[in-house]
Amino acid sequence: MNATAQGPGPGAAPVRRLTVLYDAECSLCTFLRDWLRRQPQLVPLELVPAGSEEARRRHPGLDHGRTLDEITVVGDAGQVYQGPAAWVVTLWALREHRPLAHRLSTPSGARLARGAVLAAAKWRGARRHRGRQGGAQWGGRVYRRADGWAYDPDGGWTHAAPGCADGGCAPDRVPGRGR
């Protein structure tokens, strides 16, 4: 099921709605979620955080741990798409990107889609790995490091000393940076 679709075979009911499960803690994933919301849709997309109670309620048979590792799209007739197939079916649902989805569904297009998915996975994995190893971790707009430093695009670099997590101390600023 890695880069394929599973579910009803040919001749099954048409897809009338797709649920896109995305990692709500991943800045790339939330950026793409927001982009998808702005796109004209031929097939309605429901965007649900992967691993959430809502996702578990809607799709109890899925491996929800795996849905946090790669994009998963579920069709209204039970089809499950993961990896490149999930991206292709998501593009297929969008009015302006359906022709691209058809091109990506060819053998040469599938190689391109797979490369894009692998690049995104590598980017996400590097962020996740750094976070687990005590280094930098990207989790949305604010870039946080395990040593207490954080970068907010609106406010610059700040440092919260150990024991200041409750907001009881004023954060330090990097000399020459921030506002």
Side-chain angles (χ1 to χ4, degrees):
M1 188 164 70
N2 185 17
T4 62
Q6 290 194 348
V15 175
R16 291 196 171 94
R17 179 171 302 281
L18 293 167
T19 301
V20 178
L21 302 174
Y22 67 94
D23 183 351
E25 299 298 317
C26 165
S27 61
L28 174 63
C29 303
T30 57
F31 171 83
L32 291 170
R33 173 207 60 203
D34 294 343
W35 179 81
L36 288 170
R37 285 183 177 152
R38 293 189 305 270
Q39 302 306 304
Q41 300 173 3
L42 294 170
V43 175
L45 296 175
E46 296 177 339
L47 302 152
V48 176
S52 67
E53 288 302 316
E54 177 71 9
R56 292 175 192 282
R57 183 186 62 75
R58 287 181 180 211
H59 309 290
L62 283 179
D63 176 350
H64 289 278
R66 186 170 180 196
T67 66
L68 287 165
D69 289 335
E70 66 180 323
I71 181 175
T72 302
V73 178
V74 182
D76 57 344
Q79 310 91 326
V80 176
Y81 307 88
Q82 291 185 311
W87 283 111
V88 171
V89 76
T90 301
L91 290 172
W92 173 84
L94 304 176
R95 183 178 68 209
E96 295 173 13
H97 299 284
R98 187 168 275 187
L100 174 59
H102 286 291
R103 287 191 300 275
L104 292 174
S105 67
T106 66
S108 60
R111 286 190 294 278
L112 179 63
R114 183 173 185 270
V117 168
L118 290 173
K122 184 175 181 177
W123 185 90
R124 289 183 69 225
R127 285 353 175 236
R128 187 178 313 151
H129 178 72
R130 279 193 230 163
R132 278 195 225 124
Q133 297 301 317
Q137 182 175 15
W138 181 259
R141 292 199 44 177
V142 178
Y143 173 85
R144 299 185 192 281
R145 296 186 346 189
D147 62 1
W149 285 102
Y151 178 77
D152 182 340
D154 295 331
W157 284 96
T158 59
H159 183 263
C164 292
D166 62 358
C169 349
D172 297 326
R173 296 233 177 248
V174 176
R177 296 194 187 173
R179 296 185 179 140

